[in-house]
Amino acid sequence: MQISTRSGPRILAILGPTNTGKTHLAMERMLAHTSGMIGFPLRLLARENYDRAVARVGKGAVALITGEERIVPKSARYFLCTVEAMPVSKQVDFLGIDEIQMCADPERGHVFTDRLLHARGLNETMFMGAETIRPVIRKLIDNVEFDTRARFSTLAYNGSKKIQRLPGQSAIVTFSAQEVYAVAELVRRQKGGAAVVLGALSPRTRNAQVEMFQNGEVEHLIATDAIGMGLNLDLNHVAFAALHKFDGQFNRGLSAAEMAQIAGRAGRHMNDGTFGVTGNLSGIDPDIIEQIEAHEFEPLAKVFWRNARLDFRSVEALQKSLRRRSDNPTLVLTREPVDEVMLDHLSQNEDVARIASAPDRVQLLWEVCQIPDFRNIHTDTHPRLLTSIYRFLAKPNSKLPVDWLGEQVLRMDRYDGDIDQLSSRLAGIRVWTYVSHKHHWLEDANHWQDRTRAIEDKLSDVLHERLTQRFVDRRTSVLLKSLKDKSELMSTITANGEVQVEGEYVGRLEGFRFIADETDAAFEGKAIASAARRALTGEIAQRVKQLETDEDDKFAVNGQLEVLWNSSVVGGLKKGDTVLSPDIQVIDSEFFDGPARERVRTRLQNFINAHIEARLKMLTRLRDCQLPGPIRGLLFQLNEGLGCVPRSDLESLIKDLGDEDRKALAKLGVRLGVETVHVLDALKPDPVELRGILWAVARDLEALPELPPAGRTSVPNDRSNSKGFYLAAGYMPVGPLAARVDMLERFAALLRQKARENDGKVKPDPDLLSLLGCTVEQAEGVFTALGWRAEVVKVSKAELDAKEAVKTADAPVAAPAPEAAATSEVAATADAPAETSVETPAETVATPVAKATDEVASASSEVSPLKEEAEQGGIAEAVAVDAAADAPAEAAADGEAESEFVEIKYFVRVDRRKRGGGNAGKGQRGPRQEARGKGAPKGKGGQRPNRGGPNKGGDRQGNGQARPANPAKNNQINEDSPFAKLKEMLAAKG
């Protein structure tokens, strides 16, 4: 330290790199005096040290003066200010200027130089800054004591690192708002979030962002070189993402001293710091690295200066005085600052030039031109605003109009929009905050100060919120901070399973499986998983205990072959030793250890065993009963088929059953049907679903195929489903349909009954259609699948008309109930033998079928429309079929035209021929045998009668040869024919 031998106030220059305690020393020295003042380069620093001073000496003794804020108690003794706002005319014992090397700043340097030359304390003056300013101070100021301070910690270069590999407590520095936002977005995705600091932000917003970083809510700070000016941050590392900046006129590279000022923010007090590069930068020049690490830089030779003795006689005289150069070569005329640019712009306005004709008007014009352009948008917006202000104020005894000022302020009083819009409004209201502190310009300056400050604060808070929403995942920040603390995390689980850790939603717990909230950031996902593991370990242990003690009604199985506990998946079914004894596979969970997993598996296995026993009692008793002989083998296969097996698969066992075996099966609920062997109770909806699940498990499927809807007697046969699946569901595939086995047995029984009543011939009439709820076309496919063959013959219309006449004549006699009229009429006309009265079918045939139909209709509402379709669209065909079946084949005459005949389709059993002849009443003789005649040869080579087609003039080959004459007509009417009855009726009527 140099000790001056001269008398007078003491002047000290405390020089050195960052983290040397220069500002702390100045604050201590100021508070040791009875009064003092310090000028800071940033409003943020002035506010920070104002708060420190208030904490030491009380609010009434400390003042804060900046361009946008003025807190001056009447008893204030200490003044914390921005350098531009310092009331240098006020006498104080101590006066200090921080970051005095800013004298070399192209934009603001002339202000710092003015304070260096002219600002003094009565007893002590202190300049704090970098060592580079020493030669300039020595040249410009006499009698200065220099104190060089060493850095408390070391600063070292550690090369280039990718952003995702940067250590915690890092700052990434770039030099435009767009670059700051882009880097912050990248850091949010990869590291969970970042705070941002830009010069364009209000101090309140910057403070809030810095506080997030300081509190550990985020581990990274994205900033411009604004952090280089005295911000006290707990940084460990500074990474440069850019090494060039736009200084207002040029895009230039950073000097070594500027880089050191920024990098020096890494490492606080005794903690060492590091610096490096990131992003697209590969490194820093080795010479610059050496200078930064050694804190040795090229000293400043010149500083910026502007004449402080201004001439206000005219605008031209003012401009000339501002551009006057100094005689001292160390003082370089500053570039055109913003206020001079505004003066030049306004002086070209004719109205302004005319008004600024007197020294007081020129001085007012210069004061107006010094209003800062916080918006910095480089348009004529700011000059137009200054012109309006000057015109209002230039009038004698005038102030800014209240209405006009209120309108300007109101435009900024909005809080919607994005970050850029909020930033623009914030810059705009800062202009009016500055104006509000010009007391002689306003009627009620205090009112406007309060109002503009309130808007600025609200905009600052909203902007901070928007920045946080965009660049910080609050949840991840909270979790990261909590994970650093080794204490137990506070976690809650809501009734619907939502998991909150430290008040933040992190996912949901389904049974024993934690499902993390979806995120696009891997880093965030890791934080959530880590927090969840710490918070949920105890909860999982409690859940395992609860599962073991819960009743079976808390458990269920679903079509995905999963076991549920309180509607959450906790396990799955897998193939076991038998189809009725599946095994349990416990769901994967990171919270399970071996013993806990086994406890869960044991409880789930006990549940599924009891569930099968309760729901499929009709099957488990088949498994458990002890019966010898063929019945034992039948029951085993019936169990493996889950209660339904095609009869053809068991025929060899059934034929060996005795009467006692059949009685035993009946007691067990086993029905030996014609098409299937099934357990009737197993067809109910609840057992059917569980049977389907067990069938899918036994075949190692991933899920149960869609079961037929409950109550449907038949469904379309989906060929993608296996026959075994349909049987497990209680259905039997038959042609285009899969029919419920109990209804299929009714269908087959009614089919046999109608065959017996109609000489072995059957048609798909409404009685049959209603049982399966199907169409005529579907029924024909079922007939074919069950072993029936379609036969087609031609019948004359006269015979059909005669049949209709019989039906009409006897209609008054038969009086069926209205709802059964259609069915009875068809049955009487189509199914009754000739010797049977028309009431008989309605009483003996239609009634049992109608009862079956009613049962089907009550089980499924879908059967009725199909039945109606069958009745409306199929009755005519059904009548035609019976007419053809009952009419003699020789009734068609050779001379009748083709248009007088109708083709009729009916069905006969395929195996009738194999059984040989028999009487007509038992249907042993097939329809084609009847058409061929008793003397015709059998087999495929037999001669078939000509049916009278287009080729009726020749033989079957159409060779033109005359066919044999038709046999003479026999006028004798077959007594079994319906025409015999018709003859009797006609004879009775005369």
Side-chain angles (χ1 to χ4, degrees), residues 43-85:
R43 176 184 170 190
L44 181 65
L45 290 176
R47 182 75 197 204
E48 179 183 324
N49 286 283
Y50 165 79
D51 293 335
R52 291 171 57 188
V54 167
R56 289 279 299 274
V57 299
K59 195 170 184 179
V62 186
L64 174 66
I65 303 176
T66 69
E68 306 154 61
E69 193 170 12
R70 187 180 180 89
I71 303 174
V72 186
K74 293 181 179 180
S75 57
R77 295 182 291 118
Y78 303 104
F79 297 81
L80 289 310
C81 317
T82 54
V83 171
E84 287 85 348

Side-chain angles (χ1 to χ4, degrees), residues 449-556:
Q449 288 171 16
D450 293 340
R451 184 172 179 185
T452 55
R453 170 49 55 84
I455 295 174
E456 180 181 341
D457 288 348
K458 182 65 179 294
L459 283 169
S460 298
D461 292 341
V462 174
L463 179 57
H464 167 66
E465 184 180 325
R466 293 284 199 282
L467 290 170
T468 303
Q469 288 175 350
R470 180 172 174 182
F471 301 123
V472 179
D473 189 315
R474 178 70 69 178
R475 174 180 61 190
T476 304
S477 300
V478 171
L479 295 180
L480 285 174
K481 186 177 180 180
S482 301
L483 289 172
K484 291 180 181 178
D485 185 2
K486 300 302 182 181
S487 61
E488 184 176 353
L489 295 177
M490 294 294 296
S491 63
T492 58
I493 302 175
T494 63
N496 59 359
E498 290 187 356
V499 180
Q500 295 183 348
V501 178
E502 298 294 329
E504 297 293 332
Y505 173 76
V506 296
R508 66 185 188 278
L509 190 62
E510 293 185 355
F512 301 105
R513 181 174 55 186
F514 174 70
I515 302 175
D517 189 29
E518 293 184 1
T519 174
D520 58 354
F523 182 80
E524 182 184 358
K526 292 179 181 178
I528 291 175
S530 298
R533 277 193 295 271
R534 284 183 56 185
L536 296 178
T537 302
E539 172 65 22
I540 295 300
Q542 292 294 328
R543 290 196 170 203
V544 171
K545 293 180 180 179
Q546 185 65 42
L547 176 136
E548 289 182 304
T549 57
D550 273 348
E551 299 295 334
D552 282 353
D553 59 1
K554 301 293 184 180
F555 299 84

Side-chain angles (χ1 to χ4, degrees), residues 560-677:
Q560 302 303 313
L561 316 184
E562 298 166 329
V563 183
L564 310 180
W565 173 53
N566 290 327
S567 302
S568 297
V569 179
V570 291
L573 299 176
K574 63 178 183 179
K575 186 176 181 180
D577 294 336
T578 67
V579 69
L580 290 178
S581 57
D583 290 335
I584 291 293
Q585 183 174 7
V586 179
I587 191 173
D588 291 333
S589 173
E590 58 184 316
F591 304 103
F592 278 153
D593 56 13
R597 183 183 299 275
E598 180 58 25
R599 288 164 59 192
V600 172
R601 191 203 66 78
T602 300
R603 179 65 185 92
L604 298 184
Q605 188 71 62
N606 291 337
F607 156 71
I608 196 62
N609 292 341
H611 186 65
I612 293 173
E613 179 65 29
R615 301 296 178 90
L616 298 181
K617 183 69 176 177
M618 73 293 294
L619 299 182
T620 59
R621 65 184 179 183
L622 302 184
R623 176 194 62 191
D624 299 336
C625 66
Q626 300 296 325
L627 293 174
I631 190 172
R632 182 175 181 179
L634 185 146
L635 293 180
F636 174 79
Q637 293 196 39
L638 197 58
N639 257 313
E640 289 298 305
L642 290 165
C644 186
V645 181
R647 177 167 179 137
S648 59
D649 294 351
L650 302 177
E651 199 64 57
S652 61
L653 296 173
I654 294 175
K655 68 181 182 180
D656 294 333
L657 295 177
D659 292 341
E660 294 301 323
D661 293 334
R662 294 175 182 269
K663 291 179 181 179
L665 289 176
K667 290 181 179 179
L668 292 173
V670 178
R671 179 175 179 181
L672 302 177
V674 176
E675 304 296 335
T676 64
V677 177

Side-chain angles (χ1 to χ4, degrees), residues 273-447:
T274 58
F275 69 99
V277 295
T278 189
N280 296 325
L281 297 181
S282 58
I284 300 176
D285 185 275
D287 292 337
I288 295 179
I289 295 174
E290 183 178 354
Q291 293 180 59
I292 295 174
E293 291 181 336
H295 312 296
E296 295 179 355
F297 309 100
E298 184 178 352
L300 296 172
K302 301 179 184 299
V303 293
F304 290 101
W305 171 86
R306 185 168 70 181
N307 180 28
R309 297 179 179 180
L310 303 179
D311 186 352
F312 294 111
R313 290 177 298 173
S314 66
V315 174
E316 292 78 6
L318 174 60
Q319 292 172 325
K320 185 177 180 180
S321 63
L322 288 169
R323 294 168 185 167
R324 187 174 71 82
R325 296 180 180 275
S326 172
D327 296 333
N328 190 328
T330 305
L331 304 176
V332 178
L333 185 63
T334 186
R335 301 174 189 170
E336 289 187 340
V338 176
D339 51 6
E340 289 189 42
V341 173
M342 292 298 105
L343 177 62
D344 292 342
H345 196 288
L346 266 64
S347 65
Q348 296 176 12
N349 184 289
E350 294 182 359
D351 290 341
V352 172
R354 178 176 52 80
I355 295 172
S357 58
D360 60 333
R361 296 291 183 265
V362 175
Q363 187 172 359
L364 175 62
L365 177 60
W366 176 238
E367 190 176 1
V368 170
C369 289
Q370 290 181 299
I371 297 175
D373 183 11
F374 293 106
R375 290 168 290 187
N376 196 28
I377 54 179
H378 304 292
T379 65
D380 61 349
T381 302
H382 192 62
R384 289 204 313 270
L385 176 62
L386 299 187
T387 300
S388 298
I389 293 175
Y390 181 69
R391 285 173 174 171
F392 286 127
L393 296 177
K395 298 177 182 179
N397 301 319
S398 293
K399 298 182 183 296
L400 293 178
V402 174
D403 293 343
W404 179 81
L405 181 58
E407 181 182 350
Q408 302 301 316
V409 172
L410 185 61
R411 291 178 183 175
M412 308 301 151
D413 193 11
R414 288 181 54 192
Y415 308 98
D416 57 329
D418 57 19
I419 290 175
D420 291 335
Q421 291 172 316
L422 290 169
S423 298
S424 177
R425 293 189 203 119
L426 185 55
I429 199 63
R430 291 178 68 188
V431 171
W432 295 111
T433 301
Y434 179 93
V435 170
S436 69
H437 284 88
K438 298 293 185 179
H439 289 262
H440 55 291
W441 289 0
L442 307 172
E443 286 289 351
D444 188 356
N446 291 332
H447 163 74

Side-chain angles (χ1 to χ4, degrees), residues 135-172:
V136 172
I137 295 178
R138 190 185 298 278
K139 289 179 181 179
L140 298 178
I141 309 297
D142 295 331
N143 199 25
V144 177
E145 300 175 20
F146 288 93
D147 182 6
T148 302
R149 297 206 160 206
R151 182 179 170 89
F152 290 138
S153 60
T154 61
L155 183 63
Y157 177 71
N158 71 349
S160 175
K161 291 183 180 296
K162 293 181 179 180
I163 289 178
Q164 56 266 37
R165 295 187 178 275
L166 290 176
Q169 300 302 106
S170 294
I172 303 174

